[in-house]
Amino acid sequence: MVPRTGLAAVSEALLAMSRHLEVRDVLKTIVASARELLDAEYAALGVPDDHGGFAQFVVDGVSDEQWKAIGPLPRQHGILAAMLHEATPQRLADVREDPRFGGWPATHPEMSDFLGLPVADGDEVLGALFLANKRCAKPQGGCGFTAEDEDLLRILAQHAAIALTNARLYERSRELTIAGERARLAHELHDAVSQKLFSLRLTAQAATALVDRDPARAKSELQQVAALAAEAAEELRSAVIELRPAGLDEDGLVATLRTQIQVLDRAHAARVTFEAERVRALPAAQEEAVLRVAQEALHNALRHSGAARVDVTLVRNGNGAVLRVGDDGCGFDPSAVRRAGRHLGLVSMRDRAGGVGGALTVESAPDKGTVIEMEVPGG
């Protein structure tokens, strides 16, 4: 039977799982809770893919530097495979002496006693949750993890399955919402660009009719053609950015930002750069907010400022991060923009920052460029 203090700790862990809706956040909470509750040095949870590997593999107790040095994600083999394919718990005095043990990379931390259980929803195995190196003294020749530890981990695994299933349903629902939003944007894009192209065609026809009898007016019409063509191109460029899948779950914030900024650098006359320094992965909601603010700030800089250069930086700040988007464009008076009722997306950016517990600051003045900075906390 779990002691009363243990029950309180279990309750806290289960509540922590239920607070998160993003799959990655749920996985991290499960692993951290299991490691703390069972007093283990290491904990991990792997979610299998359909190709013999893992779609996601979350660890706790291993530093970022250690994890990078270990290399690629492990494959489904040995004891991990047994938990996934046979759906059986594994409690071992020394994992290295098990005949199924296939070794690990040279930089992998040493592990001995081992406790692992499948995370299952009915007959479907969603993942493998395991702990290694019980911190308390273990019996001579025995496993530091006890039968009571196994019972406790089984409770966690059962609730982890519920939390993980709910998170997957939430993300699927969000994907459907995003798909609907993309369809709406595509429809709006079609309407907007169609109108621009129709105007472009009429203006070009008018210029053709005037070129002989009124060259000055024809020249004016051709200038309008150029302006309409530029507007149509800008509509397309902006919509492509909005419709482009963010790729945050697969690539992470830094890689996603770098890819999008490279696209913008090629598409615009302005030089667009990106630098990232020691940035840790953030909770999914924070990463999405940072990405959207960066997109909005870049859109403003490239469309309205006339900048020759736009620099984007993302740096670590404790467990969080600071995003900075600076340009050398025409700048503006933020107070005048507010009085005129034009916000240049500033309200949206502030709302996004505030929605994840962060803050947004704007520094700008006429002919002095603009700096937009967003600070977000970590998980």
Side-chain angles (χ1 to χ4, degrees), residues 254-267 271-275 294 298 302 310-313 323 325:
V254 172
T256 302
L257 268 175
R258 179 172 286 113
T259 299
Q260 295 199 4
I261 287 167
Q262 287 172 347
V263 171
L264 291 173
D265 186 44
R266 292 194 299 267
R271 180 80 172 100
V272 189
T273 70
F274 176 64
E275 290 186 11
L298 283 162
L302 294 169
V310 183
D311 296 313
V312 181
T313 60
L323 169 75
V325 181

Side-chain angles (χ1 to χ4, degrees), residues 307-344:
R309 185 182 181 94
V310 183
D311 296 313
V312 181
T313 60
L314 185 67
V315 299
R316 181 175 170 182
N317 183 31
N319 291 327
V322 175
L323 169 75
R324 187 180 187 273
V325 181
D327 68 67
D328 61 358
C330 61
F332 62 95
D333 180 351
S335 61
V337 168
R338 286 193 295 271
R339 288 196 301 270
R342 295 172 62 247
H343 302 294
L344 300 177

Side-chain angles (χ1 to χ4, degrees), residues 93-117:
D94 192 332
V95 66
R96 297 164 296 186
E97 296 179 2
D98 190 279
R100 297 165 296 180
F101 178 65
W104 45 49
T107 52
H108 196 284
E110 285 296 317
M111 297 180 180
S112 54
D113 45 341
F114 178 96
L115 174 62
L117 276 93

Side-chain angles (χ1 to χ4, degrees), residues 237-255:
R237 188 180 290 119
S238 299
V240 165
I241 293 171
E242 287 295 323
L243 291 170
R244 185 183 302 278
L248 282 173
D249 287 339
E250 295 82 8
D251 302 327
L253 177 61
V254 172

Side-chain angles (χ1 to χ4, degrees), residues 178-258:
I178 291 172
E181 180 66 9
R182 292 188 190 284
R184 182 189 66 78
L185 284 170
H187 181 72
E188 289 183 0
L189 169 64
H190 175 270
D191 290 346
V193 175
S194 293
Q195 291 172 10
K196 288 284 191 310
L197 293 177
F198 182 69
S199 299
L200 190 63
R201 181 183 176 188
L202 290 180
T203 307
Q205 289 174 342
T208 301
L210 291 167
V211 71
D212 291 327
R213 58 190 175 86
D214 193 346
R217 187 174 170 192
K219 182 179 179 181
S220 176
E221 294 292 334
L222 288 172
Q223 289 172 341
Q224 182 65 16
V225 167
L228 286 168
E231 289 178 13
E234 185 60 38
E235 292 279 359
L236 282 168
R237 188 180 290 119
S238 299
V240 165
I241 293 171
E242 287 295 323
L243 291 170
R244 185 183 302 278
L248 282 173
D249 287 339
E250 295 82 8
D251 302 327
L253 177 61
V254 172
T256 302
L257 268 175
R258 179 172 286 113

Side-chain angles (χ1 to χ4, degrees), residues 120-159:
D121 179 19
D123 294 332
E124 181 186 5
V125 177
L126 305 178
L129 173 63
F130 68 87
L131 306 166
N133 296 10
K134 180 81 170 180
R135 286 197 178 99
C136 66
K138 65 180 181 179
Q140 184 68 31
C143 180
F145 294 105
T146 65
E148 288 77 16
D149 287 333
E150 185 174 327
D151 289 340
L152 181 53
L153 191 62
R154 183 174 287 106
I155 294 171
L156 278 181
Q158 289 168 349
H159 286 271

